[in-house]
Amino acid sequence: MFVLELTYTAPLERVDALLQDHREWLEKEYAAGHFLAAGRKIPREGGVILAAGTDRATVERIVTEDPFALAGVCEYRITEFAATTTAPALEQYREPLPS
């Protein structure tokens, strides 16, 4: 599983101009089964996406396709973790500890 942390590197006006394209990209990745949740940071200085069901190389490729990344209005930090415990609704994403 991955935590994708976006940090805006441009004024919110530039981010907002790309928001619809970014939302369409999110929906595409939800439909592909890559994303579980996403939302804005508070205060609004970026966002967070929870991704699963893929490998790091795929996640790295996916974030380069984000309209925010393509336009240079954000930077991504990708953190991979083993989801060894989850809420019952996310049980299918539980992972064993790596050996």
Side-chain angles (χ1 to χ4, degrees), residues 39-90:
R40 292 179 178 174
K41 289 181 192 175
I42 300 169
R44 190 175 175 207
E45 56 191 29
V48 175
I49 301 168
L50 186 59
T54 191
D55 58 59
R56 186 175 190 95
T58 301
V59 169
E60 288 173 352
R61 178 190 52 78
I62 288 168
V63 300
T64 65
E65 297 170 355
D66 178 357
F68 285 174
L70 290 169
V73 301
C74 82
E75 292 180 350
Y76 271 93
R77 177 178 173 206
I78 301 171
T79 303
E80 185 173 3
F81 73 102
T84 56
T85 59
T86 65
L90 297 175

Tab-separated table of all heavy atoms in Angstrom, residues 39-90:
chain	number	residue	atom	x	y	z
A	39	GLY	N	-7.874	13.191	-0.866
A	39	GLY	CA	-8.456	14.434	-0.380
A	39	GLY	C	-7.409	15.502	-0.156
A	39	GLY	O	-6.204	15.254	-0.239
A	40	ARG	N	-7.905	16.699	0.126
A	40	ARG	CA	-7.039	17.856	0.373
A	40	ARG	C	-6.438	17.801	1.769
A	40	ARG	O	-7.061	17.327	2.709
A	40	ARG	CB	-7.846	19.149	0.285
A	40	ARG	CG	-8.334	19.477	-1.083
A	40	ARG	CD	-9.143	20.761	-1.044
A	40	ARG	NE	-9.585	21.115	-2.385
A	40	ARG	CZ	-10.399	22.109	-2.648
A	40	ARG	NH1	-10.879	22.849	-1.663
A	40	ARG	NH2	-10.740	22.364	-3.892
A	41	LYS	N	-5.226	18.342	1.870
A	41	LYS	CA	-4.652	18.577	3.195
A	41	LYS	C	-5.350	19.785	3.804
A	41	LYS	O	-5.856	20.656	3.088
A	41	LYS	CB	-3.157	18.901	3.091
A	41	LYS	CG	-2.273	17.758	2.706
A	41	LYS	CD	-0.834	18.268	2.691
A	41	LYS	CE	0.127	17.325	2.061
A	41	LYS	NZ	1.483	17.911	1.971
A	42	ILE	N	-5.355	19.828	5.108
A	42	ILE	CA	-5.889	20.987	5.830
A	42	ILE	C	-4.767	21.485	6.727
A	42	ILE	O	-4.319	20.736	7.597
A	42	ILE	CB	-7.127	20.601	6.650
A	42	ILE	CG1	-8.204	20.058	5.699
A	42	ILE	CG2	-7.630	21.772	7.466
A	42	ILE	CD1	-9.363	19.407	6.393
A	43	PRO	N	-4.254	22.695	6.498
A	43	PRO	CA	-4.669	23.687	5.514
A	43	PRO	C	-4.357	23.221	4.090
A	43	PRO	O	-3.589	22.291	3.876
A	43	PRO	CB	-3.861	24.932	5.883
A	43	PRO	CG	-2.651	24.411	6.585
A	43	PRO	CD	-3.090	23.146	7.273
A	44	ARG	N	-4.955	23.903	3.132
A	44	ARG	CA	-4.870	23.499	1.732
A	44	ARG	C	-3.507	23.842	1.134
A	44	ARG	O	-3.316	24.846	0.451
A	44	ARG	CB	-5.989	24.169	0.929
A	44	ARG	CG	-6.079	23.604	-0.461
A	44	ARG	CD	-7.244	24.163	-1.222
A	44	ARG	NE	-7.183	23.654	-2.586
A	44	ARG	CZ	-7.685	24.288	-3.625
A	44	ARG	NH1	-8.304	25.435	-3.470
A	44	ARG	NH2	-7.574	23.764	-4.823
A	45	GLU	N	-2.578	22.926	1.349
A	45	GLU	CA	-1.236	23.084	0.801
A	45	GLU	C	-0.846	21.888	-0.063
A	45	GLU	O	0.297	21.756	-0.464
A	45	GLU	CB	-0.227	23.272	1.931
A	45	GLU	CG	-0.254	22.151	2.940
A	45	GLU	CD	0.535	22.429	4.196
A	45	GLU	OE1	0.674	23.601	4.581
A	45	GLU	OE2	1.004	21.454	4.787
A	46	GLY	N	-1.834	21.028	-0.332
A	46	GLY	CA	-1.588	19.837	-1.134
A	46	GLY	C	-2.686	18.832	-0.907
A	46	GLY	O	-3.814	19.191	-0.561
A	47	GLY	N	-2.350	17.561	-1.057
A	47	GLY	CA	-3.336	16.513	-0.881
A	47	GLY	C	-2.687	15.205	-0.508
A	47	GLY	O	-1.460	15.088	-0.453
A	48	VAL	N	-3.540	14.197	-0.275
A	48	VAL	CA	-3.084	12.865	0.089
A	48	VAL	C	-3.935	11.856	-0.679
A	48	VAL	O	-5.150	12.023	-0.801
A	48	VAL	CB	-3.218	12.611	1.610
A	48	VAL	CG1	-2.846	11.184	1.968
A	48	VAL	CG2	-2.370	13.594	2.393
A	49	ILE	N	-3.279	10.817	-1.192
A	49	ILE	CA	-3.958	9.729	-1.887
A	49	ILE	C	-3.493	8.423	-1.250
A	49	ILE	O	-2.296	8.233	-1.014
A	49	ILE	CB	-3.619	9.712	-3.387
A	49	ILE	CG1	-4.018	11.024	-4.060
A	49	ILE	CG2	-4.281	8.516	-4.084
A	49	ILE	CD1	-3.466	11.196	-5.473
A	50	LEU	N	-4.427	7.519	-1.003
A	50	LEU	CA	-4.110	6.185	-0.523
A	50	LEU	C	-4.253	5.239	-1.708
A	50	LEU	O	-5.334	5.172	-2.325
A	50	LEU	CB	-5.054	5.790	0.606
A	50	LEU	CG	-4.772	4.482	1.320
A	50	LEU	CD1	-3.379	4.477	1.950
A	50	LEU	CD2	-5.829	4.228	2.382
A	51	ALA	N	-3.172	4.546	-2.057
A	51	ALA	CA	-3.152	3.663	-3.223
A	51	ALA	C	-2.823	2.237	-2.799
A	51	ALA	O	-2.083	2.020	-1.839
A	51	ALA	CB	-2.116	4.151	-4.239
A	52	ALA	N	-3.370	1.275	-3.525
A	52	ALA	CA	-3.119	-0.136	-3.226
A	52	ALA	C	-3.282	-0.961	-4.485
A	52	ALA	O	-3.765	-0.480	-5.511
A	52	ALA	CB	-4.080	-0.625	-2.149
A	53	GLY	N	-2.870	-2.219	-4.383
A	53	GLY	CA	-3.104	-3.151	-5.471
A	53	GLY	C	-2.147	-3.036	-6.636
A	53	GLY	O	-2.464	-3.467	-7.738
A	54	THR	N	-0.986	-2.444	-6.383
A	54	THR	CA	-0.015	-2.289	-7.460
A	54	THR	C	1.390	-2.226	-6.870
A	54	THR	O	1.566	-2.223	-5.654
A	54	THR	CB	-0.356	-1.040	-8.303
A	54	THR	OG1	0.444	-1.059	-9.473
A	54	THR	CG2	-0.165	0.240	-7.539
A	55	ASP	N	2.389	-2.156	-7.709
A	55	ASP	CA	3.772	-2.083	-7.247
A	55	ASP	C	4.290	-0.650	-7.330
A	55	ASP	O	3.664	0.215	-7.916
A	55	ASP	CB	4.661	-3.028	-8.058
A	55	ASP	CG	4.609	-2.729	-9.549
A	55	ASP	OD1	4.951	-1.596	-9.947
A	55	ASP	OD2	4.217	-3.622	-10.319
A	56	ARG	N	5.454	-0.431	-6.739
A	56	ARG	CA	6.007	0.922	-6.670
A	56	ARG	C	6.251	1.521	-8.055
A	56	ARG	O	5.967	2.701	-8.280
A	56	ARG	CB	7.289	0.951	-5.840
A	56	ARG	CG	7.791	2.369	-5.641
A	56	ARG	CD	8.997	2.433	-4.714
A	56	ARG	NE	9.251	3.822	-4.404
A	56	ARG	CZ	8.811	4.471	-3.341
A	56	ARG	NH1	8.075	3.848	-2.449
A	56	ARG	NH2	9.087	5.746	-3.145
A	57	ALA	N	6.774	0.729	-8.981
A	57	ALA	CA	7.052	1.257	-10.320
A	57	ALA	C	5.769	1.760	-10.982
A	57	ALA	O	5.767	2.812	-11.630
A	57	ALA	CB	7.723	0.194	-11.184
A	58	THR	N	4.683	1.040	-10.789
A	58	THR	CA	3.407	1.468	-11.363
A	58	THR	C	2.924	2.744	-10.700
A	58	THR	O	2.467	3.671	-11.376
A	58	THR	CB	2.355	0.349	-11.229
A	58	THR	OG1	2.850	-0.811	-11.907
A	58	THR	CG2	1.022	0.765	-11.810
A	59	VAL	N	3.041	2.817	-9.375
A	59	VAL	CA	2.639	4.029	-8.660
A	59	VAL	C	3.460	5.221	-9.129
A	59	VAL	O	2.919	6.301	-9.377
A	59	VAL	CB	2.761	3.837	-7.128
A	59	VAL	CG1	2.619	5.153	-6.391
A	59	VAL	CG2	1.730	2.834	-6.636
A	60	GLU	N	4.747	5.032	-9.289
A	60	GLU	CA	5.604	6.121	-9.762
A	60	GLU	C	5.178	6.586	-11.155
A	60	GLU	O	5.182	7.776	-11.443
A	60	GLU	CB	7.065	5.689	-9.749
A	60	GLU	CG	7.622	5.572	-8.340
A	60	GLU	CD	9.021	4.992	-8.272
A	60	GLU	OE1	9.550	4.511	-9.305
A	60	GLU	OE2	9.599	4.996	-7.167
A	61	ARG	N	4.800	5.656	-12.019
A	61	ARG	CA	4.317	6.024	-13.355
A	61	ARG	C	2.988	6.760	-13.272
A	61	ARG	O	2.791	7.783	-13.924
A	61	ARG	CB	4.161	4.779	-14.229
A	61	ARG	CG	3.612	5.103	-15.620
A	61	ARG	CD	3.218	3.872	-16.421
A	61	ARG	NE	2.326	2.961	-15.739
A	61	ARG	CZ	1.005	3.133	-15.585
A	61	ARG	NH1	0.417	4.218	-16.054
A	61	ARG	NH2	0.264	2.228	-14.968
A	62	ILE	N	2.086	6.247	-12.434
A	62	ILE	CA	0.763	6.858	-12.300
A	62	ILE	C	0.873	8.320	-11.878
A	62	ILE	O	0.207	9.184	-12.438
A	62	ILE	CB	-0.103	6.052	-11.304
A	62	ILE	CG1	-0.524	4.711	-11.927
A	62	ILE	CG2	-1.324	6.851	-10.865
A	62	ILE	CD1	-1.128	3.737	-10.929
A	63	VAL	N	1.715	8.628	-10.901
A	63	VAL	CA	1.784	10.017	-10.423
A	63	VAL	C	2.358	10.953	-11.477
A	63	VAL	O	2.016	12.134	-11.492
A	63	VAL	CB	2.526	10.169	-9.076
A	63	VAL	CG1	1.845	9.378	-7.982
A	63	VAL	CG2	3.987	9.813	-9.178
A	64	THR	N	3.175	10.433	-12.387
A	64	THR	CA	3.691	11.310	-13.449
A	64	THR	C	2.602	11.699	-14.436
A	64	THR	O	2.768	12.653	-15.185
A	64	THR	CB	4.856	10.661	-14.228
A	64	THR	OG1	4.383	9.514	-14.942
A	64	THR	CG2	6.006	10.280	-13.306
A	65	GLU	N	1.479	10.953	-14.433
A	65	GLU	CA	0.371	11.235	-15.337
A	65	GLU	C	-0.657	12.193	-14.739
A	65	GLU	O	-1.591	12.607	-15.431
A	65	GLU	CB	-0.312	9.915	-15.720
A	65	GLU	CG	0.611	8.981	-16.476
A	65	GLU	CD	0.052	7.583	-16.647
A	65	GLU	OE1	-1.031	7.276	-16.099
A	65	GLU	OE2	0.715	6.786	-17.342
A	66	ASP	N	-0.505	12.545	-13.474
A	66	ASP	CA	-1.412	13.501	-12.833
A	66	ASP	C	-1.258	14.859	-13.521
A	66	ASP	O	-0.140	15.354	-13.678
A	66	ASP	CB	-1.055	13.611	-11.350
A	66	ASP	CG	-1.900	14.608	-10.585
A	66	ASP	OD1	-2.766	15.299	-11.174
A	66	ASP	OD2	-1.687	14.715	-9.355
A	67	PRO	N	-2.371	15.471	-13.945
A	67	PRO	CA	-2.273	16.799	-14.552
A	67	PRO	C	-1.553	17.822	-13.670
A	67	PRO	O	-0.876	18.711	-14.196
A	67	PRO	CB	-3.734	17.192	-14.780
A	67	PRO	CG	-4.419	15.877	-14.993
A	67	PRO	CD	-3.729	14.936	-14.028
A	68	PHE	N	-1.670	17.696	-12.354
A	68	PHE	CA	-0.921	18.590	-11.459
A	68	PHE	C	0.580	18.408	-11.660
A	68	PHE	O	1.330	19.387	-11.722
A	68	PHE	CB	-1.267	18.313	-9.995
A	68	PHE	CG	-2.593	18.813	-9.518
A	68	PHE	CD1	-3.030	18.490	-8.237
A	68	PHE	CD2	-3.427	19.605	-10.291
A	68	PHE	CE1	-4.247	18.952	-7.753
A	68	PHE	CE2	-4.642	20.068	-9.830
A	68	PHE	CZ	-5.051	19.737	-8.550
A	69	ALA	N	1.032	17.156	-11.725
A	69	ALA	CA	2.461	16.880	-11.918
A	69	ALA	C	2.908	17.316	-13.307
A	69	ALA	O	3.984	17.914	-13.463
A	69	ALA	CB	2.745	15.400	-11.695
A	70	LEU	N	2.094	17.020	-14.314
A	70	LEU	CA	2.447	17.405	-15.684
A	70	LEU	C	2.615	18.916	-15.828
A	70	LEU	O	3.481	19.377	-16.580
A	70	LEU	CB	1.384	16.904	-16.665
A	70	LEU	CG	1.342	15.392	-16.886
A	70	LEU	CD1	0.088	15.004	-17.660
A	70	LEU	CD2	2.598	14.928	-17.612
A	71	ALA	N	1.804	19.681	-15.106
A	71	ALA	CA	1.873	21.145	-15.188
A	71	ALA	C	2.887	21.732	-14.202
A	71	ALA	O	3.096	22.938	-14.191
A	71	ALA	CB	0.491	21.737	-14.924
A	72	GLY	N	3.488	20.892	-13.386
A	72	GLY	CA	4.496	21.376	-12.446
A	72	GLY	C	3.947	22.177	-11.282
A	72	GLY	O	4.640	23.039	-10.758
A	73	VAL	N	2.696	21.887	-10.868
A	73	VAL	CA	2.121	22.643	-9.743
A	73	VAL	C	2.190	21.876	-8.431
A	73	VAL	O	1.730	22.371	-7.398
A	73	VAL	CB	0.665	23.099	-10.014
A	73	VAL	CG1	0.605	23.974	-11.256
A	73	VAL	CG2	-0.289	21.927	-10.111
A	74	CYS	N	2.764	20.662	-8.456
A	74	CYS	CA	2.918	19.912	-7.210
A	74	CYS	C	4.122	19.000	-7.298
A	74	CYS	O	4.630	18.716	-8.384
A	74	CYS	CB	1.661	19.106	-6.876
A	74	CYS	SG	1.522	17.525	-7.744
A	75	GLU	N	4.551	18.565	-6.128
A	75	GLU	CA	5.575	17.529	-6.017
A	75	GLU	C	4.951	16.378	-5.239
A	75	GLU	O	4.110	16.596	-4.365
A	75	GLU	CB	6.798	18.043	-5.261
A	75	GLU	CG	7.567	19.096	-6.019
A	75	GLU	CD	8.777	19.601	-5.242
A	75	GLU	OE1	8.909	19.279	-4.040
A	75	GLU	OE2	9.577	20.323	-5.845
A	76	TYR	N	5.370	15.161	-5.552
A	76	TYR	CA	4.869	13.969	-4.870
A	76	TYR	C	5.920	13.385	-3.946
A	76	TYR	O	7.099	13.350	-4.289
A	76	TYR	CB	4.494	12.888	-5.886
A	76	TYR	CG	3.072	12.961	-6.365
A	76	TYR	CD1	2.749	13.663	-7.513
A	76	TYR	CD2	2.064	12.310	-5.673
A	76	TYR	CE1	1.444	13.722	-7.971
A	76	TYR	CE2	0.755	12.369	-6.112
A	76	TYR	CZ	0.445	13.069	-7.257
A	76	TYR	OH	-0.848	13.126	-7.688
A	77	ARG	N	5.461	12.911	-2.824
A	77	ARG	CA	6.270	12.078	-1.921
A	77	ARG	C	5.524	10.753	-1.823
A	77	ARG	O	4.341	10.725	-1.449
A	77	ARG	CB	6.398	12.723	-0.554
A	77	ARG	CG	7.170	11.869	0.422
A	77	ARG	CD	7.311	12.579	1.755
A	77	ARG	NE	7.910	11.677	2.710
A	77	ARG	CZ	7.736	11.756	3.999
A	77	ARG	NH1	6.978	12.707	4.514
A	77	ARG	NH2	8.309	10.904	4.800
A	78	ILE	N	6.181	9.657	-2.162
A	78	ILE	CA	5.567	8.336	-2.146
A	78	ILE	C	6.128	7.542	-0.979
A	78	ILE	O	7.342	7.350	-0.888
A	78	ILE	CB	5.843	7.588	-3.474
A	78	ILE	CG1	5.296	8.390	-4.665
A	78	ILE	CG2	5.245	6.187	-3.428
A	78	ILE	CD1	5.713	7.840	-6.018
A	79	THR	N	5.237	7.088	-0.104
A	79	THR	CA	5.630	6.268	1.027
A	79	THR	C	4.936	4.916	0.911
A	79	THR	O	3.704	4.850	0.878
A	79	THR	CB	5.236	6.932	2.367
A	79	THR	OG1	5.830	8.230	2.436
A	79	THR	CG2	5.684	6.091	3.553
A	80	GLU	N	5.729	3.863	0.839
A	80	GLU	CA	5.173	2.513	0.788
A	80	GLU	C	5.135	1.946	2.200
A	80	GLU	O	6.041	2.173	3.004
A	80	GLU	CB	6.042	1.629	-0.101
A	80	GLU	CG	5.492	0.242	-0.309
A	80	GLU	CD	6.270	-0.572	-1.331
A	80	GLU	OE1	7.291	-0.080	-1.849
A	80	GLU	OE2	5.844	-1.706	-1.610
A	81	PHE	N	4.059	1.217	2.515
A	81	PHE	CA	3.980	0.559	3.819
A	81	PHE	C	3.204	-0.741	3.698
A	81	PHE	O	2.446	-0.941	2.750
A	81	PHE	CB	3.359	1.489	4.876
A	81	PHE	CG	1.871	1.705	4.733
A	81	PHE	CD1	0.976	1.031	5.557
A	81	PHE	CD2	1.366	2.589	3.795
A	81	PHE	CE1	-0.388	1.233	5.435
A	81	PHE	CE2	0.002	2.801	3.670
A	81	PHE	CZ	-0.885	2.114	4.489
A	82	ALA	N	3.429	-1.637	4.654
A	82	ALA	CA	2.696	-2.904	4.714
A	82	ALA	C	1.501	-2.697	5.629
A	82	ALA	O	1.660	-2.431	6.816
A	82	ALA	CB	3.595	-4.011	5.236
A	83	ALA	N	0.305	-2.804	5.073
A	83	ALA	CA	-0.933	-2.617	5.843
A	83	ALA	C	-1.246	-3.919	6.586
A	83	ALA	O	-2.053	-4.728	6.148
A	83	ALA	CB	-2.067	-2.220	4.911
A	84	THR	N	-0.591	-4.126	7.704
A	84	THR	CA	-0.736	-5.381	8.450
A	84	THR	C	-2.026	-5.444	9.257
A	84	THR	O	-2.473	-6.531	9.613
A	84	THR	CB	0.460	-5.607	9.380
A	84	THR	OG1	0.593	-4.481	10.249
A	84	THR	CG2	1.748	-5.777	8.573
A	85	THR	N	-2.617	-4.303	9.535
A	85	THR	CA	-3.927	-4.255	10.182
A	85	THR	C	-4.775	-3.235	9.439
A	85	THR	O	-4.269	-2.221	8.946
A	85	THR	CB	-3.843	-3.866	11.672
A	85	THR	OG1	-3.228	-2.589	11.791
A	85	THR	CG2	-3.032	-4.890	12.464
A	86	THR	N	-6.067	-3.523	9.357
A	86	THR	CA	-6.986	-2.633	8.653
A	86	THR	C	-8.353	-2.672	9.324
A	86	THR	O	-8.645	-3.576	10.112
A	86	THR	CB	-7.190	-3.065	7.186
A	86	THR	OG1	-7.844	-4.336	7.160
A	86	THR	CG2	-5.890	-3.115	6.400
A	87	ALA	N	-9.198	-1.735	8.973
A	87	ALA	CA	-10.608	-1.806	9.329
A	87	ALA	C	-11.210	-2.988	8.563
A	87	ALA	O	-10.700	-3.370	7.501
A	87	ALA	CB	-11.318	-0.504	8.937
A	88	PRO	N	-12.292	-3.570	9.087
A	88	PRO	CA	-12.905	-4.708	8.393
A	88	PRO	C	-13.225	-4.428	6.922
A	88	PRO	O	-13.052	-5.311	6.076
A	88	PRO	CB	-14.175	-4.977	9.198
A	88	PRO	CG	-13.839	-4.506	10.579
A	88	PRO	CD	-12.960	-3.294	10.369
A	89	ALA	N	-13.630	-3.228	6.591
A	89	ALA	CA	-13.982	-2.902	5.199
A	89	ALA	C	-12.767	-2.952	4.270
A	89	ALA	O	-12.924	-3.060	3.055
A	89	ALA	CB	-14.634	-1.530	5.135
A	90	LEU	N	-11.574	-2.877	4.824
A	90	LEU	CA	-10.348	-2.899	4.016
A	90	LEU	C	-9.575	-4.202	4.175
A	90	LEU	O	-8.412	-4.288	3.786
A	90	LEU	CB	-9.450	-1.719	4.394
A	90	LEU	CG	-10.025	-0.333	4.128
A	90	LEU	CD1	-9.099	0.739	4.661
A	90	LEU	CD2	-10.286	-0.133	2.648
